[in-house]
């Protein structure tokens, strides 16, 4: 390749937060090509894809070797995972082309939530009791024997899509019927479901980037949940935590062990876990960037994010290794708050939105549903009509404004026709 030609980087499924990788890489002087892992971009991801950010788009037709051959013509120096659906293809392409990779040996365990938990348990780590089945009677019987509350969820999906918390056999049966055989948001069909024990405890996110087996903590979040719209544990918000603390040390040690068990040696990872009375326990871990645009918000707090660390791990390894393990410092405390629509219909207006904009820590607003659009009763992460991001130098101001948003949210916040 002539020295005047910029080195090429490939991103597989540059959706969700990964749509910010291409602009960053271009700023650093790289050509960027896109690999689309499915014939059609999943509907939930299509609005997040920016074709203009890429020199070309390669559509995967089901044969990894053929796609690797086409990609090889561009002589990429790295293949980066983007959205969740593209993680396995990114593993296959990077391994085939001899680039920095997590390899394919444990790819399925990094995507299939049943295999993920079983792999973690086989490594001697705490993991939930679970059953994978396509038989609703078996699901009901297993849940009854376990006793107490259980979680029913798809084996492969993202966010809280299809996740149901069940207290009875009737609820388990209804949850299984709602998920089994249906297409999900990551372009696959739910041919089986998971039934898992319910974990009592606070939920956290630990976002990392790894290089050759060395892990770096980019940011740690504490999430909050409420029971609303008939849903237990509906996500309410997420607050950035300082790097150090007794809780953080437990979370990080467990997360690093999970990454090792799942073979995440290179690239970003988003790990969700609960801190139970018996210690940390995995919910799931994705070998890709944290979604929801949180890495971009993290830049507001820290000046950098998983995005920059990912670019360094693949393209500036000396820079990564020189700083790996450094503690991040919070310059501004941040939180991301999802509003919860009480019912469905056509949105006419958000009459109390001006009050949100005047909050002292108001930073930005992301509007998924605009006046005139259909609005859906919020029952999972995919039906949040508005996302409000807060930022302030004083943490208590952020917490106060979070509480104010929740007080404002409700029937009076929406005019729905």
């Amino acid at each position: 390749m002539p020295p005047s030609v910029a080195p090429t980087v490939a991103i597989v499924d540059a959706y969700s937060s990964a749509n910010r990788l291409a602009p960053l890489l271009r700023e650093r002087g790289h050509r960027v090509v896109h690999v689309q892992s499915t014939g059609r971009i999943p509907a939930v991801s299509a609005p997040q894809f920016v074709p203009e950010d890429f020199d070309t788009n390669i559509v995967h037709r089901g044969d990894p070797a053929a796609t690797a051959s086409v990609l090889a013509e561009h002589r990429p120096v790295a293949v980066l995972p983007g959205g969740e659906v593209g993680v396995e293809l990114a593993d296959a392409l990077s391994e085939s082309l001899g680039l920095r990779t997590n390899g394919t040996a444990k790819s399925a365990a990094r995507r299939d939530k049943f295999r993920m938990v079983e792999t973690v348990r086989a490594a001697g780590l705490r993991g939930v009791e679970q059953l994978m089945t396509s038989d609703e009677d078996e699901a009901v019987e297993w849940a009854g024997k376990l006793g107490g509350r259980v979680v029913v969820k798809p084996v492969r999906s993202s966010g809280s899509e299809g996740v149901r918390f069940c207290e009875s056999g009737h609820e388990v049966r209804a949850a299984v019927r709602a998920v089994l055989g249906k297409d999900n948001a990551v372009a696959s069909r739910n041919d089986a479901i998971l039934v898992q024990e319910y974990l009592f405890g606070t939920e956290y996110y630990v976002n990392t980037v790894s290089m050759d087996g060395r892990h770096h903590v980019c940011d740690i979040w504490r999430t909050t949940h409420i029971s609303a719209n008939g849903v237990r544990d509906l996500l309410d918000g997420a607050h950035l935590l300082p790097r150090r603390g007794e809780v953080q040390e437990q979370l990080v040690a467990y997360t690093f062990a999970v990454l090792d068990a799942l073979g995440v040696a290179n690239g970003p990872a988003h790990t969700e876990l609960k801190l139970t009375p018996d210690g940390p326990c995995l919910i799931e871990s994705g070998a890709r960037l944290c979604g929801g645009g949180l890495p971009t918000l993290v830049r507001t707090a820290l000046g950098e994010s998983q995005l920059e660390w990912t670019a360094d791990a693949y393209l500036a390894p000396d820079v990564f290794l020189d700083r790996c393990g450094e503690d991040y410092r919070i310059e501004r405390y941040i939180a991301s708050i999802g509003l919860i629509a009480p019912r469905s219909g056509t949105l006419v207006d958000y009459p109390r939105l001006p009050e949100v904009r005047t909050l002292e820590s108001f930073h930005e607003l992301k509007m998924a549903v605009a006046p005139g659009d259909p609005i859906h009763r919020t029952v999972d992460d995919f039906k949040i009509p508005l996302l409000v991001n807060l930022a302030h130098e004083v943490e208590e101001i952020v917490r106060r404004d979070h509480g104010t948003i929740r007080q404002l949210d409700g029937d009076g916040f929406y005019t729905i026709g």
Side-chain angles (χ1 to χ4, degrees):
M1 179 166 50
S4 60
V5 176
T8 297
V9 178
I11 303 174
V12 182
D13 293 343
Y15 316 141
S16 187
S17 300
N19 68 1
R20 301 308 307 155
L21 276 172
L24 173 63
L25 295 171
R26 285 186 174 280
E27 289 174 9
R28 294 190 175 197
H30 298 282
R31 290 179 69 250
V32 190
V33 300
H34 186 254
V35 179
Q36 183 177 314
S37 72
T38 54
R40 287 186 178 181
I41 297 175
V44 70
S45 302
Q48 305 158 354
F49 178 53
V50 185
E52 296 78 15
D53 285 341
F54 300 91
D55 291 87
T56 191
N57 183 44
I58 299 169
V59 180
H60 175 59
R61 302 297 182 185
D63 182 348
T67 302
S69 179
V70 173
L71 181 57
E73 296 176 6
H74 296 271
R75 300 184 183 180
V77 297
V79 177
L80 278 58
E84 180 73 20
V85 68
V87 167
E88 288 169 297
L89 181 59
D91 290 340
L93 295 177
S94 54
E95 182 178 72
S96 176
L97 297 174
L99 303 172
R100 180 165 276 116
T101 184
N102 287 323
T104 57
K106 292 187 175 181
S107 279
R110 293 191 286 269
R111 281 284 289 119
D112 181 303
K113 296 176 185 179
F114 178 80
R115 293 189 187 185
M116 180 181 295
V117 170
E118 293 304 305
T119 300
V120 165
R121 293 176 64 178
L125 301 172
R126 170 102 191 272
V128 295
E129 295 292 329
Q130 62 174 359
L131 167 76
M132 182 173 66
T133 183
S134 57
D135 184 326
E136 65 180 68
D137 290 332
E138 184 181 21
V140 171
E141 181 182 359
W142 185 89
K145 289 180 179 178
L146 182 68
R149 186 180 307 151
V150 298
V151 184
V152 176
K153 63 171 70 171
V155 177
R156 289 174 177 245
S157 189
S158 66
S160 60
E161 183 197 23
V163 177
R164 299 290 184 269
F165 302 97
C166 304
E167 306 279 357
S168 67
H170 174 74
E171 291 181 350
V172 171
R173 192 177 299 279
V176 171
R177 289 179 178 178
V179 172
L180 198 61
K182 306 295 194 307
D183 292 335
N184 59 46
V186 293
S188 61
R189 183 172 291 271
N190 299 320
D191 294 323
I193 54 93
L194 280 182
V195 188
Q196 296 179 330
E197 67 170 309
Y198 175 84
L199 298 172
F200 288 92
T202 303
E203 183 177 334
Y204 296 88
Y205 305 153
V206 179
N207 294 318
T208 55
V209 174
S210 305
M211 198 199 86
D212 296 343
R214 291 190 59 180
H215 310 306
H216 174 78
V217 177
C218 300
D219 46 283
I220 303 172
W221 296 77
R222 180 183 186 273
T223 71
T224 56
H225 297 75
I226 63 173
S227 294
N229 292 344
V231 179
R232 190 186 303 273
D233 286 355
L234 191 60
L235 182 64
D236 163 58
H239 290 254
L240 180 68
L241 294 180
R243 167 61 183 88
R244 295 291 171 178
E246 182 179 351
V247 167
Q248 292 92 314
E249 296 312 305
Q250 293 183 67
L251 299 174
V252 169
Y254 178 87
T255 296
F256 282 5
V258 166
L259 297 178
D260 290 339
L262 295 175
V264 180
N266 292 290
H270 169 67
T271 303
E272 301 176 4
L273 57 162
K274 277 193 174 181
L275 186 56
T276 74
D278 298 321
C281 188
L282 179 69
I283 299 173
E284 59 187 70
S285 185
R288 40 78 177 171
L289 293 167
C290 175
L294 286 187
T296 304
L297 181 60
V298 167
R299 287 171 167 170
T300 301
L302 311 180
E304 62 183 356
S305 71
Q306 252 190 324
L307 294 163
E308 287 78 14
W309 280 96
T310 296
D312 285 346
Y314 284 97
L315 303 166
D318 290 343
V319 174
F320 180 93
L321 291 175
D322 186 56
R323 300 181 57 215
C324 183
E326 283 185 1
D327 291 353
Y328 60 80
R329 296 183 179 182
I330 298 177
E331 298 173 2
R332 302 175 74 192
Y333 289 90
I334 54 175
S336 188
I337 314 302
L339 274 75
I340 298 171
R343 55 193 176 90
S344 301
T346 299
L347 179 68
V348 177
D349 191 19
Y350 296 110
R352 303 195 72 178
L353 186 56
E355 295 177 63
V356 172
R357 294 184 183 276
T358 61
L359 293 173
E360 197 166 359
S361 65
F362 177 80
H363 175 65
E364 64 181 353
L365 180 75
K366 295 187 175 182
M367 186 177 293
V369 178
D373 291 343
I375 189 169
H376 300 281
R377 186 168 178 257
T378 303
V379 294
D380 57 38
D381 299 355
F382 293 97
K383 293 181 176 62
I384 292 175
L386 287 172
L387 197 64
V388 180
N389 290 332
L390 305 176
H392 199 277
E393 290 78 7
V394 177
E395 184 179 17
E396 186 54 36
I397 300 299
V398 174
R399 294 188 179 276
R400 180 200 66 191
D401 289 351
H402 177 181
T404 302
I405 290 171
R406 192 52 60 216
Q407 188 274 334
L408 290 171
D409 196 15
D411 281 315
F413 194 82
Y414 310 84
T415 303
I416 299 174

